[in-house]
Amino acid sequence: YKPVLSGAALRDGERIAHDAVMLKAASGATDDMALINPYCFLPAVTPAHAACIENVIIDKERLTGNYKTIRSRHDITIVEGAGGLMVPVTDDYLIIDLIKDTGLGAVVVTDTALGRINHTLMTLSVLKSHGIELIGIIVNRYPAEPTQTDISLIKYVSLFGGDNIIAVVPEVKSGDDFYDRFITCFKENIDIGGIIESLE
């Protein structure tokens, strides 16, 4: 489920929600894209601002309602956020509010770019302060030949983040078959069954 998406592509007059397309392909879900991604905006800005630009009112009930519908149809439901916990969805509603309203735990996805240690540890701190369960941390786009910056993220996020890294996903280079290679990489490196077992 991808509740809100900003920065969609426009192809032949049709909006392409890349993240939602990838989620649908990876899961094998047959749900309608309007259910999987109810709000899809062209401007690559925060969802609240994108909605304002496009003169759209985001309905919080629709966000949670779509989630409940998807959850009722599937054994596993993964919800992808948009930009981080404190990103505004509306003028009075943040991504973290949506997490609380759905009662979900959080998987924090990060990468090893400069500054991500700080960003990741602050995200963990915000989750804790709001009483949201941390399911684990996924380090994404990890290079085949890691630099000291890459290595340091693994070290210090593990050290200060409670050793909660559950997967390190290698970088997938862009190309025509990117989606297929990304999905294969995801399945090879993230043990969804193991995560579910740990939650149970």
Side-chain angles (χ1 to χ4, degrees):
Y1 181 40
K2 177 74 176 178
V4 289
L5 183 146
S6 300
L10 193 62
R11 188 180 303 152
D12 300 324
E14 183 182 352
R15 294 177 188 224
I16 308 297
H18 289 299
D19 287 1
V21 168
M22 197 180 303
L23 282 174
K24 184 172 181 176
S27 67
T30 58
D31 297 303
D32 189 80
M33 189 56 74
L35 180 66
I36 294 171
N37 176 223
Y39 294 100
C40 177
F41 302 109
L42 293 176
V45 295
T46 188
H49 192 55
C52 183
I53 292 169
E54 295 195 6
N55 199 28
V56 171
I57 296 173
I58 295 177
D59 181 358
K60 292 176 273 190
E61 296 297 323
R62 184 179 178 194
L63 296 178
T64 54
N66 279 29
Y67 164 70
K68 289 173 185 175
T69 299
I70 291 174
R71 186 185 64 185
S72 71
R73 296 180 179 180
H74 303 281
D75 295 330
I76 301 168
T77 302
I78 297 173
V79 181
E80 182 183 354
L85 297 177
M86 306 309 286
V87 167
V89 178
T90 71
D91 288 352
D92 63 353
Y93 198 69
L94 303 169
I95 289 292
I96 197 164
D97 297 317
L98 180 59
I99 296 172
K100 289 191 282 191
D101 284 349
T102 54
L104 292 168
V107 174
V108 174
V109 180
T110 188
D111 62 26
T112 59
L114 193 62
R116 290 296 196 271
I117 294 172
N118 177 64
H119 181 269
T120 305
L121 294 178
M122 283 199 302
T123 297
L124 300 183
S125 179
V126 171
L127 286 173
K128 185 175 181 181
S129 71
H130 283 263
I132 295 170
E133 178 187 8
L134 173 65
I135 295 168
I137 303 163
I138 294 174
V139 180
N140 198 19
R141 296 194 292 265
Y142 198 74
E145 297 180 4
T147 65
Q148 289 303 314
T149 301
D150 303 316
I151 293 166
S152 69
L153 179 125
I154 299 286
K155 175 180 177 180
Y156 292 110
V157 167
S158 294
L159 186 63
F160 291 101
D163 200 23
N164 285 304
I165 294 176
I166 56 176
V168 177
V169 181
E171 183 178 18
V172 178
K173 300 292 184 182
S174 60
D176 291 341
D177 60 344
F178 172 78
Y179 284 146
D180 292 337
R181 289 183 291 110
F182 178 83
I183 291 165
T184 299
C185 182
F186 181 92
K187 289 178 178 177
E188 287 176 351
N189 290 279
I190 299 179
D191 179 12
I192 294 292
I195 294 170
I196 292 166
E197 253 183 55
S198 71
L199 292 173
E200 291 172 346

